Structure formats: C-alpha cells, structure tokens
Amino acid sequence: MSEPRYKGACDMPMMSRSSGTMEWNQTGSWRYLRPRYLDKDAPCSAACPAGEDIPLVELLASQGEFAEAWHRIREENPLTAVCGRVCYHPCERACNRKDYDNAVAINTLERHLAEHARRTGLKPRVTVTPETGRRIAVVGAGPAGLTAAWQLRRQGHAVTLFDAREEAGGMLRYAIPAFRLPTDVLDWEIGFIIDAGVTFHPGRRLGDNLGWDELNNFDAVFLAIGAWLPNALGVEGEKLASDGLEFLEAIRRGKAPQLSGPVAIVGGGNTAMDVARTLLRLGAEPTIYYRRRMEDLPALQEELQEVLDEGIRITPLRSPLGLTAAKDGVQLHLTPMQALEAGADGRAKIAPSGDAAETVTVKAVFTAIGYSDSPGLPAGKMVPVTTYLKRFDADDANLVQVPVFIGGDLANDNRTVVTAIASGKAAAVIIDAVIADRTFTETIIGGQIGDHGTLSLNRMSRGDRSLRQRHVVGFDELNTIYFRYRARLKEPHITLEERRTSFDEVTMRISSAMAMSEAERCFRCGLCDQCDNCYLFCPDMSVTRNLADQTRDINYDYCKGCGVCVVECPRNAMVLIEEPR
C-alpha cells in the first residue's frame, strides 16, 4: 500500500481553489437602496458672507497647494489678505470641529495663503467676459465698492470707481491701524482690482463735486460711501470730545498728535479698541469706558484680548453723563450702571445703579459709539433686495434717472469688512441682471449657500460648486471615529514691548508647515477627499477608483445597497437613496 498523500492535519489545504470568477453573479439585482457620491455644503461656507469654498481651500492647503488654494478663495473674494487680518470670521463659529475639540483657524490660514501669494509674486486669474458696452458707476472705494468694481469688470462692464479721498480703500485705509492692516498689504490687493481695468477717480465726493447730472450718464450706480458721521453722545459738553474715527484717519495720514498721560475712550466696539491701542503706542495711558458689561463688548474677541494683553484698562458699566473743561484737560463725568435681564440680542439691559456719579480728569476724551450714514444722498428710501443689499428709490425721479443700489455700511447693521464684501458681490450680480433686463431672483437663489444669504459666484456661473447638494452638513452627520484630537494652531505675536511702542503688525506670519498641519484638522464636511473608506469597506468590491480623475465610482451590477460605504464615510459625502423603479 502506498503512503498517504497527506500525513497530518497541518498539511491539509485550508481553503478550496477555484479556476473561475463570480462575475456572472450580478448581485446588484438584489438592491433596493442605492448609494451614490454627492458632495454637500459645509457650515463654514454657509456662514461666510463672502461665500468662500472653505473645505476645498483647506484640502488644497493641507496638501501644500497654496497657490491653487489662494486662487480658489479669490474666485469669491478679491480681498483675501485683508480678510485674513481683520475679518470677524463667522466661519469659525460655525465650524463643526468646535464641537469636537476646537474650530479650525480658518482666518489665519486665509492670511497665510495671501501672504504666500504676495511673497511668491502670484497674479490673479483674471477672466473677463466680452465687453458689454455698459458703463457702471461705483461710488465709494471701500471693501463693498472695490468688490463690486472687481466683479462688474469681470462681467465685461466698463467700471468707473469714485471716492472722496485721494486713495482707494475707505475704512480699510483710513480707519484700521497699521498694526492690524499694513498699508503695503492693502495696496497690493487693491492694485489687482484697479489693474483689471477699473477706472479710479479720487477726490470726488457725492453731493459736492460729484452730482447726479454726471451719474445719470451711467447705466447703473452702486453707492458704497460708508458711514463716517459719529453718533452723538447726547450729553452736555460733548464738543470737548474728539471723534475716534477722525483720530485714526489722522494717524493713517501721518499726523500723529503729541499725547501723554491719561486719556479716555468712550465705546466698546472695534473702533474704540483701535483708538485705545493707537493711543498707547503714542505714549498715552488709555482707559476704555463702556456702558455695559465686559461680556457684552461688541469688539472682536481677539482684539479685546490683545487690548487686555497690552495692559489697557477697560471700565465697564459706566455711561457718560457730561464733559467739562479742566486745567490741561477734560473732566469726564460718568454714571455707574447696573446690568438687568438680557435683551433680545443677548446683551444685558442696563439702568443707572443709583450710586453717585464719578468724575475722571484726563488729557483728552475720544468717542467711538457708532457711526451713521454719510451726507450726500438725495431724499428717498432704501428697499431691501438681498441680505446685504438695498435698492434706492429717490423721491425726485427727475434727479435720479438710473437704477441705484446701496450697499456696504449704508445697507447693513452688521458693519464689518466681510459683510461689505458680500454686499459688493450681491450688487454686481443684481446690477448685471438688471441692465440686461433679466430677473435676478432665480440667479440669487441658485447661487445661495445655506439659508443666510451667502452667495457663491462659482455656483451662480454653474461651476463645480453647483454640483453639490445644498444641504449643510451638521456635526452629528459626521463619522468622527476617523479623526483624532489635535490642538488648534496658536498664532505667534511680536513681543508686548514691541507692541506698546511701535506700529509694527502685531500678528506674525506662520510657516508653511504650520499652515499644512492646521489645514489637516479640517473635517472637510460634505466634501469627498478620496480617503478610500468606501473602497476599503465595500464587501462587494463594487467601488472602483479612477486614478486619472481622482474620483470613485460604484459598479451597480454588484452593489447590493448595504450602505456600509455611506456609514463609513467620515465627511457625509455620500447618500443612500431608494432604488429607482
């Protein structure tokens, strides 16, 4: 008898072999649910008034594609270096990552991308449609006017930009100190807008040497003249106080006054903080007096923290009662206040506490309690058109004979740089539709991201963002098991000694490595980034990779519709729908 072929169990084969395939068994016929790839909107983009494609920008930045990321931002926002410094970044408050550890430092990354473009000499991709022969007047060269001029020029219109001052920039140039926004950065960014073919006429003030007899020669007018008139304190002796905005403009013009000793600033917004920090650098000892609580201060949290870091005192719950002249200065009389219940805006209502009035003697008093409309507008009313834009209806039809829209600080209660940019974008889109005799409602709705009025020019022009579902992905829709906790980037600053004695920019640049690392923290909500979870987890091997196009496809001949790929997608970039009959 011959020896057995196998001597032990360990020598036995563990699985059978097959010489064929199972491709004949098209298990997709079992399916009643169908997975598909479908990118969605992220909450950061929906919250960004400028409509930036933040998830894609962060994806590109994480891969070191800084130039492409900058171009992507500039597709929606021509003032990237400006926003990277002074935007109040509502995107970060909406960031889903904040519910996991800390929001991504989107604002810092935007600044890095703009700085990379500036250092490497990048030029914008300027795509101008064929000339339309239409002439548009933009009055006011602040962020709203600059943005509108940029987009209207891209649409092929001849744009004339007027401004009352000798240089473009508006509040960006004349109200924000150099330690927050250096002049050379602003000039670099404005230069691209003017070089696109915008004609700029400085020294032309509406109602003075710019009248409607000239503006009526255009096909449409966009007014973005800002709000420069200071609100009155409404107390006796207020003429002894100086306007904070005028003071900041004088500094920007190189006319720094000689100040020392104690000075008072009345207000709690960003202008009040800028005035106080500027006075500190001039050698004065500033104190900010604010009528509400510290937690009610409307200033940016970052700037408020920098004010406190620099040693500037803030005295809350003090309301101005009056001013009187004093030897070598001014006496500021203050009423102590008490906080009551919270109002509709979340800030506490206040009332006099009943304590005795206080008096402080200072070298000067500066006010920064808000600003109202600029003069020059004819009589009429403003009718809301979109979230950030209004139409102007003049009382005298013989005076104003062309379509007129109003934006920027004149049209928005939330007077910030990025809302002004959003206003300029909306103006350009609507003016383009009006002069072409098109209805703009469908265009606006089609280009909207989320429910807050944010517009995407890419989406309106049927770019790749138009392929995304309008659903905004929430934190509970993410599969966060694939993310790990990582600390948020901390921006570097110059030393406190340097900050107190110079107008050098306070926030320093970050390295490319730091930028890439922070961009990697982005969840990229709703956006497929080819992580391959769908490919790796598919039990039917029905997910295929298209390496040439960097896409993923589903072979529905074999997909049983189990939904594993949808569940394992970290970013909610897939959906499971009912199989079409």
Side-chain angles (χ1 to χ4, degrees):
M1 181 180 291
S2 61
E3 290 289 326
R5 186 174 179 183
Y6 300 106
K7 295 183 178 180
C10 61
D11 296 318
M12 296 287 289
M14 299 303 293
M15 65 174 62
S16 61
R17 296 182 179 180
S18 174
S19 59
T21 73
M22 292 296 291
E23 290 183 356
W24 59 270
N25 188 11
Q26 295 186 338
T27 53
S29 60
W30 306 355
R31 184 180 61 250
Y32 67 93
L33 293 174
R34 172 180 291 229
R36 58 177 289 212
Y37 295 97
L38 185 60
D39 288 343
K40 305 178 185 69
D41 284 328
C44 52
S45 288
C48 172
E52 295 176 6
D53 191 359
I54 296 172
L56 183 56
V57 168
E58 303 306 332
L59 173 59
L60 292 167
S62 70
Q63 298 169 344
E65 299 286 346
F66 298 141
E68 189 60 36
W70 179 68
H71 286 305
R72 190 73 186 196
I73 294 178
R74 209 174 181 282
E75 184 180 40
E76 303 287 354
N77 177 6
L79 298 172
T80 59
V82 169
C83 281
R85 289 168 165 82
V86 300
C87 181
Y88 78 109
H89 44 79
C91 54
E92 294 185 20
R93 284 194 283 277
C95 176
N96 277 330
R97 181 106 199 185
K98 76 179 186 307
D99 297 319
Y100 187 72
D101 44 28
N102 286 292
V104 177
I106 301 168
N107 191 231
T108 303
L109 289 168
E110 181 170 5
R111 175 186 166 176
H112 174 80
L113 295 174
E115 283 301 299
H116 177 270
R118 195 160 75 101
R119 292 198 310 273
T120 57
L122 278 179
K123 303 292 184 184
R125 294 170 180 162
V126 181
T127 303
V128 178
T129 59
E131 299 293 335
T132 64
R134 300 302 189 102
R135 300 172 63 244
I136 314 298
V138 177
V139 184
L146 288 167
T147 302
W150 161 74
Q151 176 59 15
L152 286 164
R153 185 70 201 107
R154 290 172 66 194
Q155 291 166 336
H157 307 304
V159 181
T160 302
L161 179 63
F162 299 96
D163 197 84
R165 287 164 173 76
E166 62 272 21
E167 292 186 83
M171 294 257 183
L172 300 176
R173 184 178 299 278
Y174 296 106
I176 300 179
F179 54 79
R180 291 183 63 207
L181 180 58
T183 303
D184 59 336
V185 172
L186 182 62
D187 290 339
W188 174 75
E189 205 127 62
I190 292 175
F192 290 137
I193 297 171
I194 302 300
D195 290 346
V198 173
T199 302
F200 177 53
H201 290 299
R204 304 291 304 278
R205 184 182 297 276
L206 183 66
D208 185 3
N209 57 355
L210 176 62
W212 287 100
D213 55 339
E214 182 176 354
L215 293 176
N216 283 331
N217 293 322
F218 291 87
D219 293 292
V221 175
F222 176 51
L223 297 181
I225 56 179
W228 294 82
L229 296 179
N231 292 334
L233 282 175
V235 299
E236 187 176 350
E238 68 175 290
K239 290 185 178 180
L240 294 170
S242 301
D243 172 33
L245 207 53
E246 285 187 8
F247 167 71
L248 292 175
E249 182 172 349
I251 299 298
R252 276 296 216 177
R253 294 179 180 278
K255 300 176 181 177
Q258 297 295 319
L259 283 170
S260 61
V263 291
I265 301 95
V266 178
N270 291 322
T271 300
M273 304 298 142
D274 287 341
V275 170
R277 297 177 71 189
T278 300
L279 287 165
L280 179 72
R281 285 156 174 77
L282 294 176
E285 301 165 13
T287 300
I288 297 171
Y289 294 94
Y290 180 55
R291 65 194 185 110
R292 299 180 190 271
R293 304 171 302 175
M294 285 288 289
E295 55 265 42
D296 298 324
L297 280 160
L300 282 175
Q301 278 301 118
E302 291 83 353
E303 189 168 13
L304 173 59
Q305 188 58 55
E306 288 174 357
V307 164
L308 297 174
D309 291 344
E310 291 170 11
I312 296 171
R313 282 192 354 179
I314 301 178
T315 303
L317 293 172
R318 296 294 184 275
S319 181
L321 180 62
L323 292 87
T324 55
K327 184 179 180 180
D328 298 328
V330 179
Q331 284 189 327
L332 173 62
H333 309 289
L334 300 161
T335 300
M337 308 298 286
Q338 62 178 333
L340 306 177
E341 73 277 4
D345 59 357
R347 297 191 298 173
K349 295 181 179 179
I350 55 171
S353 66
D355 295 336
E358 301 174 2
T359 298
V360 294
T361 302
V362 293
K363 296 291 185 181
V365 175
F366 295 88
T367 62
I369 58 170
Y371 294 84
S372 56
D373 301 345
S374 297
L377 284 175
K381 60 181 179 295
M382 292 188 283
V383 181
V385 177
T386 71
T387 304
Y388 302 109
L389 186 70
K390 294 180 180 178
R391 188 186 75 246
F392 180 70
D393 287 339
D395 291 345
D396 186 352
N398 293 320
L399 178 66
V400 180
Q401 301 170 7
V402 293
V404 177
F405 294 90
I406 292 183
D409 287 352
L410 288 180
N412 295 290
D413 294 331
N414 182 6
R415 291 172 169 175
T416 67
V417 172
V418 72
T419 52
I421 289 170
S423 184
K425 285 178 66 173
V429 170
I430 291 175
I431 288 173
D432 181 63
V434 167
I435 63 177
D437 200 23
R438 299 194 315 266
T439 58
F440 54 79
T441 304
E442 290 184 6
T443 303
I444 291 294
I445 293 174
Q448 191 167 312
I449 302 172
D451 301 319
H452 303 296
T454 294
L455 299 178
S456 165
L457 297 176
N458 175 290
R459 179 168 259 167
M460 277 185 275
S461 62
R462 299 186 181 276
D464 55 0
R465 295 181 77 179
S466 66
L467 302 176
R468 300 180 193 173
Q469 190 182 46
R470 292 187 60 183
H471 174 75
V472 177
V473 176
F475 177 74
D476 59 350
E477 296 177 277
L478 302 171
N479 189 345
T480 57
I481 194 171
Y482 293 105
F483 303 108
R484 58 190 178 91
Y485 295 107
R486 289 176 56 182
R488 174 187 163 104
L489 169 72
K490 188 174 182 180
E491 281 187 310
H493 295 77
I494 62 175
T495 66
L496 283 173
E497 291 73 20
E498 292 174 294
R499 288 162 62 172
R500 294 188 183 110
T501 57
S502 78
F503 282 81
D504 292 344
E505 190 170 9
V506 168
T507 305
M508 300 169 67
R509 292 199 306 259
I510 62 173
S511 68
S512 294
M514 293 166 70
M516 293 174 66
S517 176
E518 181 64 14
E520 287 173 355
R521 294 183 64 243
C522 177
F523 286 159
R524 295 185 278 283
C525 307
L527 187 66
C528 176
D529 66 349
Q530 294 91 45
C531 72
D532 269 346
N533 268 19
C534 55
Y535 173 80
L536 295 171
F537 281 95
C538 178
D540 303 309
M541 300 183 68
S542 59
V543 174
T544 59
R545 296 189 291 181
N546 187 332
L547 298 180
D549 296 334
Q550 288 293 298
T551 58
R552 305 295 176 266
D553 300 307
I554 299 173
N555 187 336
Y556 291 112
D557 285 341
Y558 300 98
C559 170
K560 295 195 294 288
C562 65
V564 168
C565 54
V566 176
V567 172
E568 297 302 331
C569 177
R571 297 167 175 84
N572 196 255
M574 299 186 74
V575 293
L576 200 60
I577 61 175
E578 187 175 348
E579 179 68 17
R581 296 183 182 275

